[in-house]
Amino acid sequence: MNIHNASWVRQDIIAASPRPAAQGGVAEWARKNLFNGWLSTLLTVASVTIVVWMAMALAPWLSNSIWRANSLAECRQILDGASGACWGVIRDRWPQLLFGFYPPHLYWRPVLTFALLIAALAPILFRAIPQRALWFSAVYPGFAYWLIWGGSLWFPVAVYCGVVVAAGLLYLTARVSRGLAVASATVGAALWWTYAVQLVSALADDVLPIALTPVASREIGGFLLSIIIGVTGIALSLPLGILLALGRRSSLPLIHLLSVTFIEFIRGVPLITLLFTASLLLNYFLPPGTNFDLILRVVIMVTLFASAYMAEVIRGGLAALPRGQYEAAEALGLDYWKAQRLVILPQALKISIPGIVNSFIGLFKDTTLVMFIGLLDPIALAAAIRANTDWQGIYWELFIFIGAVFFVFCFGMSRYSIHLERRLKTDHR
Amino acid sequence: MKLTIALAAVAAATLTSGIATAGTMADIQARGKLNCGVTGGQAGFSAPDASGVWHGMDVDYCRAIAAAVLKDPNAVNFIPTTGQTRFTALASGEIDILSRTTTWTFSRDVDLKFTFAGVNYYDGQAFMVPKSLGIKSAKDLDGATVCIQTGTTTELNLAEYFRKNNMKYEPVPVENNADVQQKYLAGGCDVYTSDGSDLASTRSSFKNPEHHIILPEVISKEPLGPLVRQGDDQWADVARWTLNALISAEELGITAENVEKLSAGSDNPDVNRLLGKEDKLGEMLGLDAEWAKRAIAAEGNYGEIFARNLGDKTPIALPRGLNAVWTDGGLMYGLPLR
């Protein structure tokens, strides 16, 4: 085709004309998205009806909210027959829902612990915080334990000294052989924790007593308990899960077999069974009078449970990596741990982020199961509050409040995972 | 085979733990605190208030024991237990006494190896219906839909009662008490059945309690009482006789208010014996002479405890009924302290 053979060719550009009035604007958007065909129209009308109906049903209940009442009977008296939410129960009992039976004059301790938790998490979660702040994150667990349970400061310090002992042994024996170094460090730390901790903390106490009023585990409840179990479980299950996932893919038969057995056993058993084991069965087998803290037992069980799931999530990420990555890492001359740390895990973990956060959220919500073994988590406290004659008969208000608090935490985790995914997105730009 | 071995191991562990804690009272006195297992929340029996202080029938009984044994009614750790954990908690020694609306039955006493200290509340299963149905007796309930908590003895009692009376019913199983209330009020069932005390306290929480009636028939026996591990008779005696001291105190007219005055001495030898002026009852129990005086001073006699937690002054407003002392036609019969 030769353009010169054409009888007429336009040489200038037509000026843009405004689009027809019927196309564009709200009306066009609604037609395209809401009333596009009879099915779409039907669904739109149905859902709008449901939303309006729910709003109509809830609006009077919410707009008649009563905050200033000290019992359900008082609420009903104020409402005088109208339907309305009685939030007075939250005003009356929110310290209990947050802290359980923690002594009120010591509330500052869990509050400070929570504030410091945010400070300790910041350098791990966000890049903008200088990485030097990580030393605080490392010290935080011991400090948090001391703040919440009280007692002597030297006990957590002595426990931390075990890590120093292990590091020292590792450094001293590293030249002889790597296996020996790891073994001696492990044995040294274990010996320190079993025999020296009590002695050292008692000695330090004599020299310089620094102690807070001790608070017993049974006084800890409410969201404080949920957060203690949830955060500890989350923080411990990720590293354990990574080790288990690597163990399951290991070529050493013993490690492989142990990992598979552990993961499959824990995944095959409901969490509630493990919790009952922690609270009931251990009681039979431990010598009478053993003071093995119930919260500690529960944290251990929840961590084991979550780490088995975590291992499978991370194994999914490992399996998704192309074989070439493993071969490339080997071709670079990296040993196993360096290859995992520098090449494999950064990619595998990135792929697994949605699954990992999913497990975290599930774990945090599962903490409410501890009510079945007699620990006073928010749900159990709601039952206890309803048993008080002042608030007997109240129902939705407590559960809405508890649900809202859980939503804030879980939604926060979910948003952070999206942020992390975006930050780490390096492919397909 | 393996199961048998595992069960034997559990039994052996239970046994050894029972032997090792043979001196429960010495343990408690060394510890300075009584570990009392209660329910996590049941109106009138045990529930924490806004400042975390526990109140209720079962709670007050533990305070009386603490007063008798430790001379301080507040030296109690209240440990919330659930229906599943209560017996293990007691058997394993985590708690010293279980005071948790527990029905005294043969199998619990004999098979589970516990000792009941007595009965602190005579309960029984009953029915609640809306007044508008016009039902006056449980015999009129043929064909009714019945709301019931699952996994309880009430479920079995209900089935037996209807079979015995040749009636039909449709059970509406619901998980817990709060859900049953919602379901019943929403009209999901015609009848709600549970223990009488539970029905009364549930009804008291309704918006219009006068629109509901509790039918006169009581279809089961639920004697609720505190229990301890079998094999430590001294501790079981303390639990049993503290309860009897509280009941006897009501019979004798000793209250938290006048106990101090009466303990100086009175004309009634029964009062003198109970409060430690005559005989040496406390020493036989391994306590001092004033144990019962302290137990009564802690939260009052049985009648006062009942009135404060379940009686007319509370929204629950249960009549004494079977729980009146025997001289008033009830079943509360304080064993003679002499």
Side-chain angles (χ1 to χ4, degrees), chain A residues 76 96 283 384 386-387 392 395, chain B residues 40 43 49 94 178-179 201 205-206:
Chain A
R76 283 174 178 160
Q96 215 167 63
N283 270 347
R386 280 204 314 267
Q392 207 193 2
Y395 192 72
Chain B
D49 68 6
E94 192 183 339
D179 296 344
S201 74
S205 72
F206 288 171

Side-chain angles (χ1 to χ4, degrees), chain A residues 341-377:
Chain A
R341 189 163 58 86
L342 299 173
V343 179
I344 308 299
L345 280 179
Q347 300 182 70
L349 289 180
K350 193 181 80 183
I351 301 172
S352 316
I353 287 173
I356 291 175
V357 174
N358 203 15
S359 298
F360 284 172
I361 291 177
L363 165 65
F364 187 57
K365 290 192 293 187
D366 279 350
T367 58
T368 51
L369 283 176
V370 300
M371 76 170 285
F372 290 108
I373 55 168
L375 283 178
L376 289 172
D377 83 305

Side-chain angles (χ1 to χ4, degrees), chain A residues 52 129 141 157 182-183 245 256 299-300 310 318:
Chain A
V52 168
I129 315 289
V157 169
V182 172
H256 172 78
V299 164
I300 291 173
M310 193 57 69
L318 290 173

Side-chain angles (χ1 to χ4, degrees), chain A residues 34 73 195 210 236 244 261 408 424:
Chain A
L34 300 178
Y195 295 109
I210 305 177
L236 294 179
L244 282 170
T261 315
V408 168
L424 298 178

Side-chain angles (χ1 to χ4, degrees), chain A residues 18-189:
Chain A
R19 66 179 159 189
Q23 292 179 18
V26 182
E28 165 69 4
W29 181 86
R31 199 180 61 77
K32 257 192 184 155
N33 293 295
L34 300 178
F35 303 103
N36 183 18
W38 65 269
L39 182 65
S40 153
T41 309
L42 194 72
L43 288 174
T44 303
V45 171
S47 31
V48 165
T49 320
I50 291 172
V51 168
V52 168
W53 177 75
M54 279 176 69
M56 297 267 280
L58 276 177
W61 190 71
L62 285 175
S63 65
N64 279 343
S65 291
I66 307 279
W67 284 93
R68 307 212 146 273
N70 291 315
S71 72
L72 185 59
E74 206 180 316
C75 262
R76 283 174 178 160
Q77 204 179 356
I78 299 173
L79 283 167
D80 199 21
S83 112
C86 186
W87 298 107
V89 67
I90 307 296
R91 193 186 59 95
D92 191 31
R93 294 298 185 99
W94 71 269
Q96 215 167 63
L97 284 168
L98 292 189
F99 302 110
F101 299 137
Y102 209 88
H105 63 284
L106 299 177
Y107 279 165
W108 63 271
R109 273 160 50 179
V111 171
L112 179 64
T113 314
F114 187 69
L116 291 178
L117 171 69
I118 296 167
L121 283 180
I124 300 172
L125 298 184
F126 299 104
R127 222 186 251 169
I129 315 289
Q131 295 300 302
R132 256 173 309 158
L134 276 172
W135 69 263
F136 178 70
S137 312
V139 177
Y140 175 77
F143 194 59
Y145 168 83
W146 182 59
L147 272 181
I148 288 178
W149 274 273
S152 165
L153 173 65
W154 300 114
F155 176 67
V157 169
V159 171
Y160 267 88
C161 285
V163 181
V164 178
V165 169
L169 284 173
L170 200 64
Y171 176 75
L172 284 177
T173 48
R175 283 183 212 160
V176 186
S177 128
R178 188 175 251 189
L180 180 73
V182 172
S184 70
T186 318
V187 171

Side-chain angles (χ1 to χ4, degrees), chain B residues 173-198:
Chain B
V174 192
E175 188 50 46
N176 61 47
N177 188 18
D179 296 344
V180 176
Q181 291 181 28
Q182 292 295 315
K183 194 137 208 160
Y184 171 76
L185 283 178
C189 50
D190 307 325
V191 192
Y192 172 25
T193 182
S194 182
D195 282 356
S197 60
D198 186 22

